[in-house]
Amino acid sequence: MPKAGIVTVVGKPNAGKSTLLNRIVGEKLSIVSPKPQSTRDRVVGIRTSGDVQMIVLDTPGLLNPRYALQEAMRATALAALADADVVLYIVDGSEGPPPPLVELARLDHAPRAPVVLAVNKSDLLTPAHRERLAAGVGDARFISAATGAGVDDLMADLGAMLPDSPFLYPDDEISTQTVRFFVAELIRETALEQLEDEVPYSVACAIEEFREERSPVYIRAVLHVERESQKRILIGAGGQRVRAIGRAAREKIEAFVGAPVYLDLWVKVLHNWRRNPQALQRFGYKLPLPEDRSR
Ligand code: GDP
Ligand code: MG
């Protein structure tokens, strides 16, 4: 009997969730960034290996819900926790002993699914450091999402914990997300790479037109920011910065879709969109439903 189920990856921003997800599904699906809290959406990766199919959910950082955006992120993370067959709690080993997941995520009760603790960035730990941590956390797996050390063993253990089930997706599918979604993520990621702190979290990307039948593929995208001052930063002197973002993003999109692309990239102000439920919905962020708050 094959096994199939959901593995939800949780952890603090910067713990290495996206890096691990990319490694285990073997494709660049989830944003990886040295800046914290860059993963706003629940990205679904699918890993089919032998007779085990893992549907992997990445979670946005579990934050203090101060803005509507952060509420939406937390609701998404909580929903991914509730859906899990196994929860993979990933912590940054260089940060010292991790808090229990229930405490970190301020949960009312432990998740229904078993929680596996993975201490990441083990490549940065000295043997002594590692021993001290191991003594403190009990049943932890040490891994390095960056080098791959320990990841195969971890995957085998997680796979064994999934329920007996036929595959839930075709075995060549790496993601249920649409190409449009990933293209928007690649553009937002590129903008993020080229900007300083503060502005990045105010950038959302919307794909307004996507014509696959043309050659080159025609994509019109808008980077939405919250204020005029941010728009000026994004555009740069003489439009230099937005052109550089467009060029770099186009190269990534071409590699992703495997065809030449014409990227028509615009910058617009949508005042305070992070606090605006309609705008959040338009950019694909789930808003918390009343019943999500209790999970
Ligand atoms: P997320 O916020 O949890 O999704 O974390 P990311 O996957 O975006 O990683 C945050 C930062 O940690 C990035 O700069 C990664 O390159 C780095 N990182 C992730 N895993 C490892 C690891 O195993 N070792 C080291 N040295 N760095 C890592
Ligand atoms: Mg991430």
Side-chain angles (χ1 to χ4, degrees):
M1 185 68 167
K3 286 174 174 289
I6 294 176
V7 176
T8 295
V9 183
V10 231
K12 283 204 250 178
N14 252 0
K17 299 179 294 298
S18 301
T19 309
L20 181 68
L21 175 58
N22 291 337
R23 175 170 288 282
I24 64 190
V25 299
E27 288 278 329
K28 193 164 187 288
L29 292 183
S30 184
I31 277 198
V32 181
S33 159
K35 299 190 177 86
Q37 296 167 19
S38 64
T39 308
R40 286 178 186 166
D41 305 274
R42 168 168 154 176
V43 174
V44 182
I46 300 170
R47 172 194 168 99
T48 306
S49 164
D51 60 355
V52 178
Q53 183 168 72
M54 239 177 239
I55 292 124
V56 188
L57 304 189
D58 189 11
T59 53
L62 296 160
L63 308 168
N64 296 325
R66 253 188 23 217
Y67 303 110
L69 172 60
Q70 293 174 340
E71 282 267 356
M73 289 168 71
R74 178 161 165 88
T76 307
L78 291 175
L81 262 187
D83 290 346
D85 292 301
V86 182
V87 176
L88 177 61
Y89 175 25
I90 165 164
V91 300
D92 183 340
S94 61
E95 280 189 349
L101 179 59
V102 172
E103 202 175 288
L104 174 77
R106 289 170 288 118
L107 303 176
D108 301 333
H109 47 80
R112 177 182 54 81
V115 178
V116 172
L117 177 66
V119 178
N120 189 36
K121 308 195 186 181
S122 63
D123 56 301
L124 301 178
L125 303 179
T126 62
H129 193 153
R130 194 174 156 137
E131 245 165 64
R132 261 201 316 279
L133 261 177
V137 294
D139 194 17
R141 328 285 153 111
F142 285 81
I143 62 163
S144 170
T147 69
V151 174
D152 285 345
D153 286 348
L154 175 67
M155 288 303 112
D157 291 350
L158 294 177
M161 295 169 80
L162 295 179
D164 290 338
S165 158
F167 287 172
L168 305 169
Y169 293 94
D171 61 9
D172 58 352
E173 205 151 315
I174 52 165
S175 172
T176 60
Q177 303 279 357
T178 64
V179 172
R180 259 177 188 245
F181 168 83
F182 288 117
V183 167
E185 283 292 279
L186 288 172
I187 296 170
R188 196 169 63 81
E189 176 191 65
T190 308
L192 225 118
E193 280 165 3
Q194 306 208 7
L195 291 165
E196 295 306 316
D197 293 337
E198 186 47 32
V199 178
Y201 310 117
S202 297
V203 177
C205 182
I207 305 295
E208 306 220 317
E209 202 175 336
F210 197 121
R211 301 192 158 224
E212 268 174 296
E213 75 285 0
R214 287 204 199 164
S215 183
V217 173
Y218 176 82
I219 300 172
R220 185 158 47 87
V222 179
L223 288 167
H224 290 280
V225 288
E226 296 193 293
R227 292 193 290 278
E228 288 297 336
S229 58
Q230 295 168 338
K231 179 174 169 179
R232 279 195 298 276
I233 293 172
L234 213 63
I235 289 179
Q240 232 173 359
R241 188 173 250 156
V242 70
R243 273 201 303 278
I245 293 170
R247 255 194 319 273
R250 176 176 50 76
E251 283 172 17
K252 294 185 196 178
I253 298 166
E254 286 179 337
F256 182 70
V257 302
V261 165
Y262 181 86
L263 177 61
D264 193 8
L265 185 61
W266 296 80
V267 181
K268 289 185 185 167
V269 177
L270 191 57
H271 286 283
N272 289 326
W273 67 261
R274 286 196 291 183
R275 294 170 194 274
N276 174 341
Q278 274 92 35
L280 289 171
Q281 242 153 6
R282 189 171 142 213
F283 298 140
Y285 300 122
K286 273 195 198 123
L287 289 170
L289 301 167
E291 63 265 27
D292 280 341
R293 291 170 191 270
S294 60
R295 287 205 289 237

